[in-house]
Structures are given as C-alpha cells and as structure tokens.
Amino acid sequence: MNRDWPLWEVFVRSRGGLSHKHVGSVHAPDSELAVRHARDTYTRRMEGVSLWVVKSADIVASDPDQAGPMFAPAEDKVYRHPTFYEIPPEVKHI
Amino acid sequence: MYTTEMGKPDPAKVASIGGEDPALLEAFEARVAADEFIEPKDWMPDAYRRTLVRQISQHAHSEIVGMLPEGNWLTRAPSLRRKAVLLAKVQDEGGHGLYLYCAAETLGTSREQMIEALHSGKAKYSTIFNYPTLTWADIGAIGWLVDGAAIMNQVPLQRTSYGPYARAMVKVCKEESFHQRQGYEIMIAMANGTPEQKAMAQDALNRWWWPSLMMFGPSDENSPNTAQSMRWRIKRDTNDELRQKFVDITVPQAEFLGLTVPDPDLVWNEAKGGYDFGEVDWEEFYAVVRGEGPVAKERMEARRKAWDDGAWVREAALAHEAKRTARAAA
Ligand SMILES: [Fe+2]
Ligand SMILES: [Fe+2]
C-alpha cells in the first residue's frame, strides 16, 4: 500500500493581472499544508503573489491518444480566423 | 554526475525495446528525433520509462543527500551572512530534490518506493557526496566545483525529451548559478586571506578536484547506454564532452584564485583548443559507486535516521486530516 501523503498540483500567479500557471506538485496530508509546502517548494524567490493547490486525483484530463480527433475539428475551420476574409486595402481600420 | 548512469549496464534492459509494438515505437522515435517533448500520459517504450525513472530518481537522491555535507557546516559558518547564504543554498537543494521526485512520480513510481530504494542501498546517488567536508574551505570548493559540474550537466537537460524532467531542470538551473557564485566568493576570500587560509583553499581544491571530475560519470567507452540515451534525447552530451568542457572553464578560475589544480598532466593543447588532463582514478570511482566512499555509511545512516525520526509526524498529519474529514462529514 502506498503510504505517501496525497499529491497536489500547484499553480502560481506570478503577479497581479496574470493567470495561475501550473508549476509542479507537492505531497501533503491536507490542503492547508499543501499550500505551505507549495510556498516553500515553488516560491522561494518571489515567484508568485498567489497559490492554488488542487488534489491531483481531482484533475480530469483529455486523452493524449485522442488528441487528433479531439482537436481536429478546429483545423478545417479557417473561417474562424480574421485572415480568412478579404477586405480591399483601401478600407482602413478593420 | 548527478544524472549519469552509475549502475552497471544491463544489456537485457537495453535490448527489451525489441518487445514493443513497432508502429508505436517508430512514432515515438520520430517525435523524439523531431525534438518534441514526451508528456506523462503519452505512449513511451518501457525501457525509456525505466531509464528515466532511474535517472531522475538518482538525480533527486543526489540533491537530497547533497544537503548533508553542507548542512554539516551550517552551525559553523564564519558569519551571519555566510550562514544565511548556506542555509538558502541547502534549502534550494532540498527543493531540487522535490521537483525531481515529482517528475519521476509522473512515470508511475511512488515517493515511498524511491525513498525505500535509496535507504536500502538499491538506488545510487552522485559519488561526490560520499566525501567528507573537513574545513570551511570545502564549502567554497563544493559551491564552485560541485555545483559548477552540476550546472554543466544540467543546462543541456533543460532540453531533455521528457517534459516534466525538462521543466524541473529549467527551475533548477535558474537557482544553481547563485550556488556556484557563493562558493567561488568563499574561495576568493580564502585565497586572499592569511597564508593559513590560502593553504586551506588549496587543500580543499586538492581534495575536491578529482571527485568533481568523477561527477561526469565513466568515460565514454565505458558508458554503453549513452548512445541509446542520446538517441532518446534523455542525455544531450557524452560524459567525456562535459568533463572536457568543465576542465576548460574551471582551470582559468583556479588560476585567478592563485591556486594550483592538482594534476601534473594538465596542459593547454592549442590544437584542440582545450586542456589535456590526467586520467581519473577509475578504481576509486567504481569503489565509491559500489558504496565504499569515505562517508557513504554515515550519509545513509543520517538519511534513514531523518526518515525514521519523522515517521510519527507523517502519520500524525494523516490521522489529523482523517479526523477532521470525519468530523466535517458528521
Ligand atoms: Fe541542486
Ligand atoms: Fe546546487
């Protein structure tokens, strides 16, 4: 049996205005200690102003083997991009 | 070094990729050859996974055991500044170990399994940490030479093919530079101090030079797994290439200190644009790999003691959480 403390994924907001970004993980018995361990492990040099921890087991991920079919529908829809549309050059600010 | 193949090569393991699905293997090889990153849930050959688990956990163990020789001097650092610096460095090394254990865990091993392997003597760690730190000058020499050699090896690993390992290396490399510079600063102070202090600096260089060169692992002709590891971009340079690079940049740093590198065969070779240097004592290297280093036993005793003494804390924290959860549910 695995007697390790549960694993938590750690997300750091490096400064105000930016999103939290995944930086790694820590083992901790509970959420409070997970935040403390995350601080000691990932923010020893002012790398962040805010931390999130999420139990690794609670993360639901897409299947990498299905990445093709999963993300392909976007590939043939070039009309979702502004460059698809032809606008005469004399038209400005569009 | 921290990450070289230090166990005896096992031909059966290298050959075992023969058992993999050829189509999957080919697709994998193509991705790696194109410098794509492999992520935890991607398909990978079993031998790739096993090599990585061994290499990353070995690297993690080295960071953790590496705290011991320096921790030994924390209470005796000669000033408050030096003490704060050394404490921060030792804490960083603990952090490096944690980044790396996490990276290894994404491959399907557990923290407990890895620590068990270290404490039972099954897992290897860098030979360098089985040498004692006898004087304060050793702390300077370690930062300068040992962290210097570590940087040399770790910088190319930032582009290693396994994503979590590469990302851990990026974080580690950002932090290593301070380690080396604080060590060299200690060496500058000692080399420019009293004659006794300068002699201590020279003595530290004498004792740490060859073990530092051993950190790059066996010579290329004795590293049969290197070719496979380089093909899989687990390794990006050979042991001898890195060792040469290390000698070339470190010798001028020793000269600046006015210290002598303890190698009578050391001579600049204009034609190759690098130094020729003496042969590492491979007998000694393999003896230390086998666990016969001067303080190998003490190191493992210290690790086991720390683990055993902390057992009640790990258990109490879990019991506390279980109780709190039960109370919340009631
Ligand atoms: Fe380190
Ligand atoms: Fe370091």
Side-chain angles (χ1 to χ4, degrees), chain B residues 12-263:
Chain B
K13 279 186 182 165
V14 180
S16 74
I17 51 169
E20 302 284 3
D21 179 329
L24 288 174
L25 186 60
E26 198 185 317
F28 171 86
E29 300 265 1
R31 286 186 64 193
V32 170
D35 274 330
E36 274 184 46
F37 287 103
I38 304 301
E39 294 296 338
K41 293 200 163 127
D42 295 348
W43 185 89
M44 61 187 87
D46 209 39
Y48 176 84
R49 184 185 299 274
R50 270 191 319 224
T51 304
L52 274 172
V53 167
R54 195 172 53 236
Q55 178 170 325
I56 300 173
S57 61
Q58 210 161 270
H59 194 162
H61 296 328
S62 301
E63 302 283 354
I64 298 298
V65 179
M67 291 193 282
L68 296 170
E70 293 181 299
N72 178 37
W73 278 90
L74 279 172
T75 56
R76 294 174 290 164
S79 69
L80 192 56
R81 176 182 184 272
R82 296 283 184 208
K83 183 182 290 204
V85 167
L86 186 58
L87 196 56
K89 179 190 190 287
V90 171
Q91 194 190 13
D92 273 356
E93 306 299 5
H96 297 174
L98 295 179
Y99 308 154
L100 286 158
Y101 280 132
C102 286
E105 282 170 73
T106 63
L107 290 157
T109 181
S110 75
R111 182 74 57 97
E112 195 180 27
Q113 273 176 310
M114 288 186 277
I115 289 179
E116 212 295 300
L118 174 68
H119 292 180
S120 70
K122 250 190 298 169
K124 304 282 179 202
Y125 55 91
S126 181
T127 50
I128 194 82
F129 302 119
N130 287 332
Y131 291 87
T133 39
L134 304 178
T135 76
W136 173 250
D138 288 13
I139 300 306
I142 286 182
W144 172 35
L145 300 173
V146 176
D147 288 85
I151 290 169
M152 192 58 77
N153 197 54
Q154 290 171 155
V155 163
L157 287 174
Q158 294 178 100
R159 293 178 302 115
T160 195
S161 61
Y162 188 57
Y165 191 22
R167 293 192 284 277
M169 281 300 101
V170 169
K171 281 202 287 283
V172 166
C173 286
K174 265 192 210 150
E175 300 181 350
E176 286 294 355
S177 172
F178 128 62
H179 298 178
Q180 193 187 19
R181 290 172 67 112
Q182 65 85 33
Y184 195 71
E185 196 199 64
I186 292 174
M187 293 305 278
I188 293 176
M190 303 285 292
N192 293 295
T194 63
E196 289 83 357
Q197 286 169 331
K198 183 163 184 184
M200 278 168 73
Q202 180 64 54
D203 168 62
L205 174 57
N206 292 348
R207 284 181 291 106
W208 290 95
W209 176 255
W210 290 106
S212 297
L213 295 195
M214 290 177 199
M215 286 174 70
F216 296 97
S219 64
D220 289 351
E221 71 246 38
N222 288 314
S223 323
N225 293 347
T226 292
Q228 177 64 279
S229 283
M230 287 185 66
R231 211 158 65 94
W232 278 343
R233 308 279 205 269
I234 292 174
K235 224 170 144 161
R236 314 263 352 190
D237 304 89
T238 74
N239 298 351
D240 286 336
E241 283 165 8
L242 291 170
R243 193 166 9 244
Q244 179 72 53
K245 248 170 127 178
F246 176 75
V247 170
D248 290 345
I249 67 158
T250 310
V251 169
Q253 295 168 354
E255 282 166 359
F256 178 84
L257 294 171
L259 300 178
T260 310
V261 172
D263 179 357

